[in-house]
Amino acid sequence: MFGPRPRRTILLLLTAAAVAAPIAAQQTTTTSYGAPTPLCDRAGEPLQVPGHAAVRVADWDQDNDLDVLVGGGDGRIWLLETRPAAGDARLTLGPPRQVKISSRARWGQRYTGAALADLTDDGLPELLVAHSRNKLSVHVNEGVRGAPRFAAAAADLTLQNGCDGRFDVADCDGDGLPDLVTGAFSGRVAWHRNIGTPRAPRFATDQPLGDVNLAYNAHPRVLDFDGDAHLDLLLGVNWGTFSLYRGSANGFAKPEQLRSATDGEGLNLRGFNGDDTTPELVDVDGDGVLDLISGGKNGKLFTLRGVSRRERVDRLTALLRQAETPSWFEEHEQQRDAAFAALGALQADLAAGLVNGPERESLFKALSALPSRHPELLRRRRHDLEETPHAPMLAAQFWVVLLEAAPATADPRTARREVADALGFESGYRRLLVDLGVVFYDNGRASARQLERMHTLLTSLPRRVWDVELISVAGWLGPGAKRHRVQARTGVNIFAMKLGVPENSFPKDAPRPGITDVYLICLAHEVAHNMLDTVGRSRRPALFARKFDGLQNAAGDAVVYRQPRARGIDMDATKERFERLGRWDGVADTWPQAWRAYFDDVERFDKSYARGNCRFFLEAPQEAFSTLANQYVADSQLMLEFSKARWDQGHRNVVNQFLLIADYLSDGNDTAPTYVLKRGGQLTVGTARLTRDKQQRITSFKTEAWAATFSYSSADDDMASEFTATPRDGR
């Protein structure tokens, strides 16, 4: 009934399902929490179990209140039942009571974890106990509602090695059947798909859960944290922190740490529980906001109170009332930190999609009234960085929060005008905000011409292929920018300089120099960081994968990539290959030198990438696409000609880099923008006409001046095998 079956490859849909105790409609989640305090029983005594403690909330006897199961560190399980008084919404727990099933009192001698889940579709939850490195015992519920009775004989499953008590239950693939999600001491998170039926579950062997692997002691809690109908992963780890992986149809986003409401820093329980976190969400104090509870290595239980958005707005408002001038915050560091923490927590909740509907409207109304009351602190102005070094960052953080809180409207520009009006944004700053949704903060140092040229360049980049909310110029913001980094959904930083500083974006073997403007080409480069590797990762996944195929081609066979290649270089396999080729002596201390010696000053590798030796891009793959913008935006036509010159020299990778950025900027259509960006910011934008084959690979690229054609050796090879490029006038 519960036996494993062979592995099957499946798409992880991450669709939310009510397997464990669901988040009630009237409860809200937050990314901001108070300081850890002991979780106490109804008599006020701190709760603790022997050794390690892994917590899970469940309705043990189905009496419509929440109890707490605790897996101990020695194979035992403990139940903390709640008995609330009438009208009391708090979690009122009794003392730990050891769970015994018939004569069974222990499940091994190591860390355990326990949960309740209805695996047989009869309305009664089974008791699941993970234990003994890689075992899961399932005790079928043979009782009735209100009186659970679990079978003494358990169905035993094999989980991933090192799991012990680290597991959860959730419908990961949206088929209506509960699956198993397991963590491990190594940090690996995996899932076992339920390949059975509603009444007769069967679980496949484990396979990775996305790319989640955060060492060590990974304790997974799977739930719909943000209410978007996609499962999210709340992961507790060895170092006492909590990482939130937000899920979507495309898998998990990069993790975000849950934060302290006091200082805005990441939560950390390590000093309280002696390592490890075992996260669970439940409203402990009955205020409607979910709190965190966790155990850990020392067996103690802790609660971290969830802080509501209303409280943070009230705290911010009170701090602003105290501050008569920006210099007040310079003299009161603790209050300044508290203001940043309140704003950072609001931004984190907005970015996580936790604030919607009437709550968002209420938040925007409350925040938009503040700049008129505190114009010196919150409206756009230039600050004296010697007197008030932190003022620009405080203001910018408020601007970001207000923009993200703006009500969703059919025309986003309407809401952004309200934001601009409230903040006193004028001229170029206003156009960037209203037209593009970009907050630019530079302490008022950019010239009107710079703002105009920035707007022109950003407008010329197809808006659907990039998503930048915040642009900063740290060089104009002084030392305060290091103390308080402005948090935004997405952001980039650019150089502090005037227009007109020249750069040749092309190497010496290009057909001619490609002189451009450093200030603006830096802007293009940084925005390109937010293209293929972020927006494109979900919108154009085939192109994202193609970037790594191109890196493999540039590196040659001595470098071994994992599969799929987007997972990066397999350095252990690469070392083995270097040693086999006689490129390395196998001594660990000499590896860095052997790696560099293989690439540096070798023409093949100096010319296999559009800018510089390919070793740099192998070590920093995040630069492998964005650096292409330096050439494509500086002079698209010259980049095409340069690709042909390298091709004719026998260096055939650069043309594929040209095709990669042209294809991405086309957004899959039959046209792509082309650019010439001159010193001083003069920009000429053109259009290239594209044709594609059945695999949607570009087969021709034609402008008014030039025509290029491309062909490919096979249907599954995205690298061009034939390439011609000629002027259209025949010269």
Side-chain angles (χ1 to χ4, degrees):
M1 175 178 173
F2 292 99
R5 290 269 300 273
R7 177 179 307 195
R8 292 173 57 192
T9 301
I10 39 195
L11 174 67
L12 188 64
L13 297 177
L14 296 172
T15 303
V19 173
I23 295 174
Q26 70 272 18
Q27 293 176 327
T28 61
T29 50
T30 176
T31 61
S32 178
Y33 298 85
T37 59
L39 182 66
C40 296
D41 63 18
R42 49 180 168 262
E45 293 297 320
L47 291 163
Q48 185 173 0
V49 301
H52 187 270
V55 296
R56 184 68 77 242
V57 169
D59 187 354
W60 173 261
D61 48 11
Q62 294 186 287
D63 60 353
N64 296 317
D65 59 33
L66 294 178
D67 310 302
V68 177
L69 280 170
V70 183
D74 57 359
R76 287 184 285 182
I77 303 168
W78 305 86
L79 174 65
L80 286 63
E81 289 190 90
T82 186
R83 291 287 185 269
D88 190 348
R90 293 175 298 172
L91 190 69
T92 52
L93 299 171
R97 174 171 66 84
Q98 187 178 351
V99 173
K100 297 182 180 180
I101 306 299
S102 186
S103 61
R104 187 169 190 173
R106 286 181 186 265
W107 287 259
Q109 303 292 326
R110 298 169 55 84
Y111 289 0
T112 56
L116 294 180
D118 183 3
L119 299 186
T120 56
D121 198 33
D122 61 356
L124 297 174
E126 275 62 60
L127 173 64
L128 287 71
V129 183
H131 60 95
S132 304
R133 297 188 188 275
N134 64 348
K135 302 300 180 186
L136 181 76
S137 295
V138 180
H139 295 267
V140 174
N141 192 339
E142 298 175 337
V144 296
R145 186 177 181 86
R149 181 170 59 85
F150 298 104
D156 289 329
L157 286 72
T158 299
L159 304 176
Q160 68 160 315
N161 287 328
C163 174
D164 280 314
R166 308 170 183 93
F167 87 109
D168 202 358
V169 186
D171 179 7
C172 293
D173 55 0
D175 64 356
L177 301 176
D179 308 303
L180 301 175
V181 177
T182 58
F185 177 77
S186 67
R188 181 176 183 263
V189 179
W191 71 305
H192 299 251
R193 184 182 184 235
N194 189 338
I195 55 177
T197 66
R199 290 192 175 273
R202 288 186 176 184
F203 296 95
T205 53
D206 65 276
Q207 56 184 297
L209 186 72
D211 292 326
V212 180
N213 193 329
L214 190 61
Y216 294 93
N217 259 336
H219 282 268
R221 180 69 176 97
V222 185
L223 73 172
D224 185 6
F225 186 89
D226 51 17
D228 66 351
H230 293 288
L231 286 174
D232 309 302
L233 173 66
L234 184 57
L235 194 66
V237 294
N238 193 73
W239 317 117
T241 59
F242 303 85
S243 293
L244 174 64
Y245 293 77
R246 296 178 59 211
S248 71
N250 297 306
F252 290 116
K254 292 181 179 180
E256 314 157 34
Q257 279 204 354
L258 300 185
R259 302 181 182 194
S260 164
T262 304
D263 57 13
E265 299 296 322
L267 291 176
N268 195 311
L269 273 183
R270 198 175 193 188
F272 297 84
N273 66 359
D275 271 353
D276 208 358
T277 51
T278 65
E280 178 63 292
L281 289 172
V282 62
D283 186 3
V284 174
D285 54 10
D287 66 352
V289 180
L290 292 177
D291 310 302
L292 270 172
I293 58 174
S294 176
K297 190 174 182 179
N298 59 15
K300 296 179 181 180
L301 302 180
F302 295 91
T303 181
L304 299 90
R305 180 176 175 271
V307 181
S308 72
R309 263 87 63 185
R310 181 72 264 170
E311 286 182 73
R312 282 172 256 164
V313 172
D314 290 346
R315 177 63 170 149
L316 176 65
T317 302
L319 288 166
L320 291 171
R321 284 182 184 142
Q322 287 181 267
E324 297 179 359
T325 65
S327 60
W328 184 88
F329 277 116
E330 305 301 331
E331 299 163 3
H332 297 81
E333 182 177 357
Q334 185 176 358
Q335 288 85 346
R336 184 180 73 235
D337 289 348
F340 274 102
L343 287 167
L346 288 170
Q347 189 279 325
D349 279 6
L350 287 161
L354 303 181
V355 192
N356 296 293
E359 185 188 11
R360 183 165 172 169
E361 293 177 12
S362 176
L363 177 62
F364 182 74
K365 183 178 180 181
L367 292 174
S368 60
L370 295 177
S372 61
R373 300 175 194 163
H374 310 281
E376 289 189 337
L377 288 164
L378 302 180
R379 287 174 70 90
R380 178 175 281 283
R381 62 188 293 259
R382 189 164 178 174
H383 295 272
D384 184 334
L385 295 180
E386 290 190 4
E387 292 186 6
T388 56
H390 301 97
M393 277 60 70
L394 181 65
Q397 187 65 80
F398 181 85
W399 303 341
V400 169
V401 171
L402 188 63
L403 175 60
E404 292 188 4
T409 60
D411 179 9
R413 289 166 54 92
T414 301
R416 295 198 292 251
R417 286 191 192 97
E418 288 188 56
V419 175
D421 290 343
L423 299 175
F425 276 44
E426 298 177 347
S427 62
Y429 296 105
R430 183 183 181 91
R431 286 192 293 274
L432 288 170
L433 178 62
V434 174
D435 295 345
L436 297 165
V438 171
V439 170
F440 180 47
Y441 82 110
D442 62 336
N443 199 31
R445 292 287 300 274
S447 68
R449 189 180 179 201
Q450 280 178 300
L451 294 169
E452 174 197 346
R453 297 296 167 90
M454 289 176 67
H455 184 277
T456 299
L457 175 57
L458 291 173
T459 303
S460 75
L461 299 170
R463 192 62 181 88
R464 60 192 173 275
V465 305
W466 61 278
D467 179 25
V468 172
E469 180 179 68
L470 177 71
I471 299 175
S472 62
V473 187
W476 286 337
L477 294 169
K482 296 180 180 179
R483 175 66 179 84
H484 292 290
R485 180 175 173 269
V486 176
Q487 304 293 325
R489 183 171 48 79
T490 56
V492 299
N493 184 70
I494 60 175
F495 293 159
M497 59 176 56
K498 296 179 180 179
L499 284 177
V501 177
E503 173 189 283
N504 180 9
S505 287
F506 291 81
K508 293 179 180 179
D509 61 326
R512 60 183 183 278
I515 305 300
T516 189
D517 190 278
V518 175
Y519 181 81
L520 288 171
I521 207 64
C522 172
L523 174 62
H525 175 97
E526 295 302 327
V527 172
H529 270 297
N530 191 255
M531 290 184 179
L532 183 63
D533 290 347
T534 50
V535 176
R537 194 165 188 171
S538 58
R539 295 192 77 243
R540 304 289 303 280
L543 283 189
F544 178 73
R546 191 185 299 177
K547 182 187 86 165
F548 291 90
D549 292 342
L551 286 170
Q552 173 74 85
N553 270 16
D557 292 339
V559 176
V560 182
Y561 270 79
R562 296 184 176 91
Q563 292 297 325
R565 290 185 177 126
R567 294 179 61 200
I569 295 173
D570 185 334
M571 197 55 74
D572 289 338
T574 298
K575 289 178 178 179
E576 289 178 9
R577 188 162 294 181
F578 267 57
E579 190 171 8
R580 191 164 62 249
L581 294 171
R583 296 281 184 174
W584 179 47
D585 60 10
V587 179
D589 289 347
T590 66
W591 169 249
Q593 180 182 353
W595 171 259
R596 291 192 298 269
Y598 181 74
F599 292 103
D600 293 357
D601 300 321
V602 177
E603 183 183 37
R604 172 190 174 190
F605 300 121
D606 283 340
K607 293 188 175 182
S608 64
Y609 222 84
R611 283 169 63 93
N613 189 286
C614 74
R615 177 172 69 85
F616 173 78
F617 302 102
L618 300 177
E619 296 172 350
Q622 72 277 8
E623 298 290 339
F625 180 83
S626 60
T627 194
L628 302 180
N630 293 66
Q631 291 185 357
Y632 193 90
V633 176
D635 193 328
S636 307
Q637 180 60 57
L638 177 55
M639 188 180 187
L640 177 64
E641 296 176 44
F642 170 52
S643 300
K644 185 63 168 65
R646 284 272 174 98
W647 180 278
D648 291 342
Q649 296 170 20
H651 304 291
R652 300 194 163 191
N653 291 298
V654 177
V655 69
N656 292 298
Q657 295 150 25
F658 171 84
L659 287 169
L660 183 66
I661 189 167
D663 200 351
Y664 184 74
L665 291 174
S666 77
D667 199 33
N669 297 313
D670 58 3
T671 61
T674 62
Y675 305 92
V676 178
L677 179 61
K678 296 294 188 182
R679 179 181 178 182
Q682 180 182 347
L683 180 68
T684 302
V685 183
T687 301
R689 300 288 174 182
L690 312 178
T691 60
R692 299 177 184 272
D693 62 14
K694 292 180 180 179
Q695 288 75 35
Q696 294 302 301
R697 298 170 298 193
I698 295 175
T699 54
S700 71
F701 181 98
K702 296 180 180 179
T703 65
E704 291 184 359
W706 276 63
T709 61
F710 315 90
S711 60
Y712 306 86
S713 61
S714 65
D716 57 358
D717 189 352
D718 292 326
M719 302 295 114
S721 59
E722 299 292 337
F723 169 34
T724 65
T726 56
R728 298 192 74 174
D729 61 6
R731 292 181 295 174

